[in-house]
Amino acid sequence: MTAVTSVRAVRKTSANSVNGGTAVINPASGSGATALAGPPRGTNPPSLRPISEAAEVTAITRGTVQASMEVLAGVRPIHQLARRLDPRCLASLQHRAALIRREHTRTGNPALARLHRNSTVRSVRVCEVAEGIYEASAVVVDDVRARAVAVRLERSKQVWRIVELIIG
């Protein structure tokens, strides 16, 4: 028995994977016959939609809160949140990040350097307020302390947008 794959089998594998499937070679048959593996024809591929609207809102909240804390720590540019945050919330977050940076450069306080560093979202709770409107709370732990974050999300044109972001 050898562990060498024939050139013919490799060519069949690459040709079939280009066509959207992967070739499975049956080593028992010496002919190198191939069969396509994957979902049977006529079936739909699995959907990428979330299981529920609340699960989608929870995931959006978790990601946005984590990104917001990284903006405050100075490790993420604020423009990455422009699609998710309302312009007023974006300006408020940018202002708070600028204040933290300015105070750190002015005083050189090492405690300010550790503020918002290594933030982790511990939990997220969501509640539907009305059709297309959710409010969420999150607990965030960083190097210095734990803090609460409150978020209000509204659906506009099939996109969830955060219209309130309050970081404690």
Side-chain angles (χ1 to χ4, degrees):
M1 221 135 152
T2 62
V4 178
T5 305
S6 69
V7 174
R8 189 176 306 148
V10 172
R11 285 186 185 147
K12 287 181 182 179
T13 302
S14 63
N16 285 332
S17 63
V18 169
N19 294 333
T22 57
V24 178
I25 299 173
N26 186 357
S29 67
S31 65
T34 61
L36 289 178
R41 292 183 185 231
T43 61
N44 293 333
S47 174
L48 297 177
R49 306 293 272 146
I51 295 172
S52 69
E53 195 172 68
E56 180 181 15
V57 170
T58 301
I60 290 169
T61 301
R62 180 177 295 276
T64 306
V65 168
Q66 180 70 41
S68 299
M69 300 309 287
E70 291 170 2
V71 165
L72 292 178
V75 296
R76 178 185 290 263
I78 189 130
H79 68 81
Q80 290 183 358
L81 290 170
R83 292 182 60 217
R84 187 65 67 194
L85 292 177
D86 186 60
R88 190 176 48 81
C89 291
L90 192 69
S92 175
L93 184 66
Q94 187 173 18
H95 179 69
R96 182 171 174 166
L99 287 176
I100 292 170
R101 278 194 314 271
R102 186 176 73 188
E103 189 65 19
H104 175 63
T105 57
R106 188 180 69 84
T107 63
N109 188 353
L112 285 175
R114 290 187 10 238
L115 192 64
H116 303 292
R117 293 286 178 185
N118 300 322
S119 295
T120 305
V121 179
R122 293 287 184 201
S123 66
V124 176
R125 303 282 188 264
V126 298
C127 177
E128 185 175 15
V129 177
E131 181 74 26
I133 300 174
Y134 278 81
E135 289 185 351
S137 63
V139 176
V140 179
V141 178
D142 59 31
D143 284 349
V144 179
R145 66 180 195 164
R147 62 183 76 239
V149 179
V151 177
R152 183 178 178 102
L153 295 99
E154 294 180 1
R155 183 185 289 277
S156 86
K157 299 178 184 173
Q158 303 301 320
V159 176
W160 288 103
R161 179 151 290 207
I162 294 179
V163 296
E164 287 292 331
L165 176 68
I166 301 170
I167 301 172

